[in-house]
Amino acid sequence: MKSYAINDTKESSAGELTFHHQKSSPIFSEGKQWIKTYNPYLNLECRTQTRLYENRGIIKKYGQAMFEGNWKWLEGEPIVLFWDEKEKHLFCGDGHHRLKAAQEQYLHQIYVEIRLGTFLDAKIFNCTSNGTHGHRTTNKDKRNQILTLLKTLDLLPIDDPRRRWSDREIARRIGVDHKTVGRVRRYVHN
C-alpha cells in the first residue's frame, strides 16, 4: 500500500491555498505544522516524559485556555514530536502536558514541530528541554532527568557523539551543576 501525504501548502497567484499531494517516503516531514490531535501514529505509551509526576493542575489550566480559545498555538514553543520513519511512530519530545490538555479538550488539531528521530532522540530531547519554558521542573525532576539521560545515552550506538557528553555538557543542557551530574553518574555506574 502506498502512502500519500500533504507535504505543503502553496499560495497560487490568485491568493488561494492549494495542497500538493506527493508520493512520500516519510509520512511526516520536518518542521512546524498542524496535525490531528488523535493521530494514529502518535505513540504516548512509550515513556518519553521525564517528569516524575503529571501535573493535573497544569493540564487543567492549559485545557481551560484551549477550551476558551485563548491558547496561542503560533506563539511560544510548539509541542515537539519525533517521527521515526522505521517504526512509524511519533514520539513526544516536549509538550506532554499541552498534548494531554489538547486531547482532554477533544481539539481537532494541534500545532507541533516535527523532527526526524527515534524514541531515544525524543527521550534525550525531553531530558534537556524542560525547565526553559512552561511548567518548571523540580529538583527531583532534574535528578530524574540526569539519571534518565545517562541511561539513555548508554543505549545509543557507539559512534553517536552524544555518548561522550561530559558532566559539564549534560549539566548545561539540563540546567544543573556539573557536580550534581557527577554524583548521579557515579550512582548509575556503580
Side-chain angles (χ1 to χ4, degrees), residues 148-165:
T148 302
L149 183 58
L150 290 170
K151 288 179 178 181
T152 305
L153 293 177
D154 284 344
L155 297 174
L156 292 171
I158 297 293
D159 60 341
D160 192 313
R162 294 175 293 181
R163 283 184 64 110
R164 295 183 295 280
W165 280 354

Side-chain angles (χ1 to χ4, degrees), residues 55-121:
N55 188 317
R56 292 299 309 157
I58 292 292
I59 292 171
K60 186 176 180 179
K61 176 183 169 186
Y62 291 171
Q64 187 66 32
M66 291 173 188
F67 176 77
E68 293 171 354
N70 296 327
W71 192 262
K72 297 183 179 16
W73 286 101
L74 301 178
E75 296 175 17
E77 299 291 325
I79 295 169
V80 178
L81 303 175
F82 285 79
W83 171 241
D84 186 329
E85 171 65 22
K86 183 179 175 190
E87 298 294 326
K88 301 287 189 247
H89 287 297
L90 281 169
F91 297 108
C92 187
D94 184 41
H96 291 83
H97 285 85
R98 289 171 280 162
L99 180 56
K100 186 91 164 191
Q103 289 182 335
E104 288 182 7
Q105 292 302 320
Y106 300 102
L107 296 185
H108 181 66
Q109 291 186 342
I110 52 175
Y111 191 65
V112 300
E113 179 180 343
I114 294 183
R115 300 178 182 191
L116 301 181
T118 64
F119 164 73
L120 294 178
D121 294 317

